[in-house]
Amino acid sequence: MRDALMIGASGGIGQAMTRLLESRGVAVTGLSRSRDGLDLTDAASVERHAGALQDRSFDLVMNTTGALVIDGHQPERTTDAIDADAMAAQFALNATGVALAVRHFAPLMRRDARAVFATLSARVGSIGDNRLGGWVAYRAAKAAQNQILRTAAIEWSRRNRHSVFLALHPGTVETPLTAKYAARHPTITPERSAEALLEVIERVPPEDSGSFWDWKGQRVPW
């Protein structure tokens, strides 16, 4: 791996992954909302930032953006708490935003060798693994993201048979996103998560493109 594009480079995992890649000699181009104005909920913003990189070619395009609480809307405990605006906001960032990233940034991947598009999903987006209920909007948006990645993987296998698309569960990472909700769960540092995720990214072969993995290197059911 020589060149990587990190979307969400200012976040906890994005920063940790950037430092890890750079320590291994990889040139990392970082984009984020706070530093560069990239807004995955704004199609024009995504297109503009991708357009500025049209002369580049990346071995890895990784999206580390996402949000659990948007505009103050906390995760629902029951379906009685479903709010249409809150759900729309979740889909705009965690599903449609990823679709826009695929549309505009995936074409920047190398076409002549192995190239990876990876995005942070979440285990709660697994339909098969849902045993607790709750968190309806976030779960649904992440499940939609997984379907988007799976669909993109099929399409891109026809463009570059060496391409790999991955949905990744990073673990319960010690970041502002999880701070309020991690009390009952063992956590890992962003650095540990980045190391583990990079192992998965480097290991999964093209024939497993479009799959869902956790930070421990285990498949997550759809």
Side-chain angles (χ1 to χ4, degrees), residues 123 150 203-205 207-214 216-222:
R123 184 177 292 277
R150 177 66 175 174
R203 178 172 57 82
V204 176
E207 50 264 35
D208 284 329
S209 182
S211 50
F212 188 12
W213 299 81
D214 70 9
K216 296 179 180 178
Q218 299 175 341
R219 280 183 182 264
V220 182
W222 293 122

Side-chain angles (χ1 to χ4, degrees), residues 6-218:
M6 194 63 53
I7 302 169
S10 64
I13 298 176
Q15 290 186 58
M17 184 65 74
T18 296
R19 290 192 295 267
L20 177 60
L21 289 170
E22 290 178 339
S23 73
R24 299 187 180 186
V26 179
V28 181
T29 299
L31 290 175
S32 70
R33 183 171 183 171
S34 61
R35 295 176 183 174
D36 309 286
L38 172 62
D39 183 357
L40 290 189
T41 68
D42 181 344
S45 174
V46 180
E47 183 175 11
R48 183 172 63 255
H49 282 85
L53 298 171
Q54 285 302 306
D55 61 341
R56 303 287 303 280
S57 182
F58 298 97
D59 305 290
L60 170 65
V61 176
M62 186 167 186
N63 170 48
T64 64
T65 63
L68 176 59
V69 177
I70 301 177
D71 296 331
H73 292 285
Q74 303 296 321
E76 314 94 333
R77 293 189 176 184
T78 71
T79 54
D80 292 337
I82 290 174
D83 179 272
D85 291 335
M87 183 166 281
Q90 281 291 336
F91 271 77
L93 178 59
N94 290 317
T96 306
V98 176
L100 291 172
V102 169
R103 177 183 176 183
H104 294 289
F105 291 114
L108 302 178
M109 298 191 309
R110 293 185 62 181
R111 301 291 185 96
D112 57 348
R114 186 178 189 273
V116 179
F117 187 103
T119 186
L120 295 188
S121 184
R123 184 177 292 277
V124 296
S126 167
I127 296 173
D129 192 57
N130 184 356
R131 296 177 177 84
L132 297 176
W135 291 29
V136 183
Y138 186 71
R139 284 185 187 275
K142 289 295 188 177
Q145 177 186 144
N146 292 346
Q147 181 69 284
I148 291 163
L149 259 290
R150 177 66 175 174
T151 302
I154 294 170
E155 177 183 339
W156 275 85
S157 67
R158 305 179 187 125
R159 303 188 190 190
N160 175 9
R161 61 187 178 89
H162 304 291
S163 63
V164 181
F165 281 69
L166 299 172
L168 300 172
H169 169 60
T172 304
V173 183
E174 298 166 7
T175 65
L177 185 148
T178 62
K180 186 177 178 180
Y181 304 94
R184 294 176 295 173
H185 304 280
T187 60
I188 58 175
T189 65
E191 290 72 23
R192 178 68 187 101
S193 179
E195 291 173 358
L197 293 177
L198 186 56
E199 289 180 9
V200 175
I201 289 169
E202 292 178 330
R203 178 172 57 82
V204 176
E207 50 264 35
D208 284 329
S209 182
S211 50
F212 188 12
W213 299 81
D214 70 9
W215 67 281
K216 296 179 180 178
Q218 299 175 341

